[in-house]
């Protein structure tokens, strides 16, 4: 799974409800690689040799497991988290970014709940790891967001792509996107196409159709509901775009899935 410039290999991904007596010393089990937490209930305290962090609801934290961390919580208010343990092919590069503070050890991403819900639904339905990766990828894209001051020139375009992948139901104004990236509109379109191979509008439609296909696979939503969830006010417009991108109408695609 390619996330930014990193190749991520998830080992396990779970929603973890901690017991009151829970505590964790990260080097006690000999794990290597990285651990990613997203807190969705109460709080956890993390102590390293140099710093102390308190994670509250909505916070994330990336552990470099070559370092030691002592983690505790309030037994009267047990914490719960989404946790992902993974390896990375570019391990030294990611570790160096953490060391240089180019990556926020503590981060508070937005627009995460929908993707987490869909990922959990796919897991509950016993889909394979390959089938659940399309929902896991945007979660990693959101959580692994780097310090913009240290990014390469296309980094804001990558952020916009990640946002479109995660939230394709939103409507994106081209002038606003260009201003956000720091370019004129024509320059932004040219650089976006250079970075992605397509225009911003086409990228957004591809993201919508990809999410529509997985909603059809992983949820009980009707086609009309899926169109609405993805920002379409006109079902015929959605069906026409789906046909153009996939070669079949949404109803035909669903029938093939049911077979």
């Amino acid at each position: 799974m390619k996330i930014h410039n990193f190749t991520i290999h998830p080992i396990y991904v779970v929603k973890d409800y901690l017991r009151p007596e829970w505590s964790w010393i990260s080097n006690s089990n000999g794990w290597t690689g990285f651990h990613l937490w997203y807190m969705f209930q109460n709080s956890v305290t993390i102590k390293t040799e140099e710093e102390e962090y308190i994670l509250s609801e909505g916070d994330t934290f990336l552990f470099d497991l070559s370092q030691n961390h002592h983690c505790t919580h309030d037994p009267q208010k047990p914490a719960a988290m989404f946790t992902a343990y993974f390896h990375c092919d570019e391990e030294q590069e990611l570790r160096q970014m953490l060391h240089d503070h180019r990556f926020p050890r503590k981060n508070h991403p937005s627009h995460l709940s929908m993707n987490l819900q869909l990922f959990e639904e796919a897991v509950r339905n016993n889909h394979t790891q390959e089938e659940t990766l399309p929902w896991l990828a945007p979660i990693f894209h959101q959580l692994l967001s780097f310090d913009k001051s240290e990014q390469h020139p296309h980094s804001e375009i990558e952020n916009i792509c990640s946002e479109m992948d995660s939230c394709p139901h939103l409507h994106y104004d081209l002038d606003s996107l260009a201003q956000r990236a720091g370019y004129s509109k024509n320059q932004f379109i040219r650089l976006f196409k250079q970075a992605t191979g397509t225009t911003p509008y086409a990228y957004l439609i591809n993201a919508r159709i990809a999410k529509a296909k997985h909603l059809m696979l992983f949820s009980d939503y009707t086609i009309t509901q899926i169109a609405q969830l993805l920002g379409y006010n006109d079902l015929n417009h959605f069906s026409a775009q789906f046909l153009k991108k996939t070669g079949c109408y949404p109803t035909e695609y669903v029938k093939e899935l049911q077979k």
Side-chain angles (χ1 to χ4, degrees):
M1 181 170 62
K2 197 72 173 179
I3 305 296
H4 299 295
N5 295 323
F6 300 101
T7 305
I8 302 296
H9 303 282
I11 308 301
Y12 74 79
V13 183
V14 297
K15 180 182 278 188
D16 201 1
Y17 293 85
L18 305 180
R19 296 177 178 273
E21 66 274 14
W22 174 88
S23 66
W24 183 50
I25 300 176
S26 62
N27 69 355
S28 61
N29 50 20
W31 287 356
T32 60
F34 302 88
H35 216 168
L36 190 61
W37 285 3
Y38 170 73
M39 301 299 302
F40 63 88
Q41 181 175 296
N42 295 327
S43 63
V44 165
T45 299
I46 302 171
K47 294 182 180 180
T48 69
E49 293 181 359
E50 301 175 349
E51 298 178 87
E52 177 177 313
Y53 305 86
I54 298 177
L55 303 190
S56 303
E57 293 179 14
D59 284 336
T60 67
F61 190 86
L62 179 64
F63 293 85
D64 171 7
L65 295 177
S66 67
Q67 300 178 351
N68 192 30
H69 308 80
H70 185 200
C71 309
T72 57
H73 69 153
D74 183 350
Q76 303 299 319
K77 298 179 180 178
M81 67 189 72
F82 166 87
T83 177
Y85 173 45
F86 67 95
H87 287 170
C88 175
D89 286 358
E90 299 77 15
E91 183 174 304
Q92 292 302 323
E93 182 181 353
L94 181 54
R95 184 170 289 129
Q96 188 63 46
M97 291 185 76
L98 274 171
H99 182 267
D100 294 343
H101 300 287
R102 292 174 58 193
F103 180 93
R105 295 290 294 272
K106 181 180 175 182
N107 188 21
H108 197 139
S110 58
H111 308 300
L112 202 62
S113 58
M114 180 179 178
N115 285 318
L116 281 172
Q117 180 181 354
L118 292 169
F119 173 76
E120 291 165 8
E121 185 174 340
V123 172
R124 283 197 302 271
N125 291 333
N126 296 317
H127 290 290
T128 65
Q129 183 180 24
E130 182 178 354
E131 291 172 325
T132 58
L133 280 181
W135 292 123
L136 189 58
I139 294 170
F140 269 91
H141 267 294
Q142 288 178 277
L143 298 182
L144 296 180
S145 57
F146 304 117
D147 183 352
K148 296 179 182 179
S149 64
E150 298 291 342
Q151 295 178 12
H152 58 74
H154 286 173
S155 60
E156 189 57 42
I157 292 176
E158 291 179 358
N159 290 340
I160 291 169
C161 290
S162 296
E163 187 174 328
M164 288 181 175
D165 288 333
S166 302
C167 307
H169 60 287
L170 298 180
H171 293 276
Y172 297 86
D173 177 72
L174 187 58
D175 289 322
S176 298
L177 292 177
Q179 184 178 11
R180 170 179 159 185
Y183 304 114
S184 69
K185 184 164 69 173
N186 289 337
Q187 187 180 21
F188 172 71
I189 294 172
R190 179 178 61 80
L191 291 173
F192 191 99
K193 194 168 184 179
Q194 179 182 332
T196 67
T198 189
T199 65
Y201 178 74
Y203 190 97
L204 176 62
I205 299 308
N206 289 337
R208 286 181 174 178
I209 299 306
K211 181 146 289 190
K213 291 167 68 174
H214 288 286
L215 282 169
M216 292 172 189
L217 179 63
F218 294 146
S219 77
D220 295 325
Y221 292 126
T222 66
I223 292 174
T224 300
Q225 289 172 325
I226 289 173
Q228 292 172 343
L229 282 171
L230 293 174
Y232 291 94
N233 297 321
D234 184 346
L235 181 60
N236 290 331
H237 186 208
F238 167 66
S239 296
Q241 287 191 338
F242 194 94
L243 174 64
K244 185 176 180 179
K245 294 295 183 180
T246 66
C248 66
Y249 287 104
T251 51
E252 296 171 336
Y253 187 82
V254 170
K255 286 179 182 178
E256 287 299 314
L257 289 177
Q258 291 172 344
K259 291 180 182 180

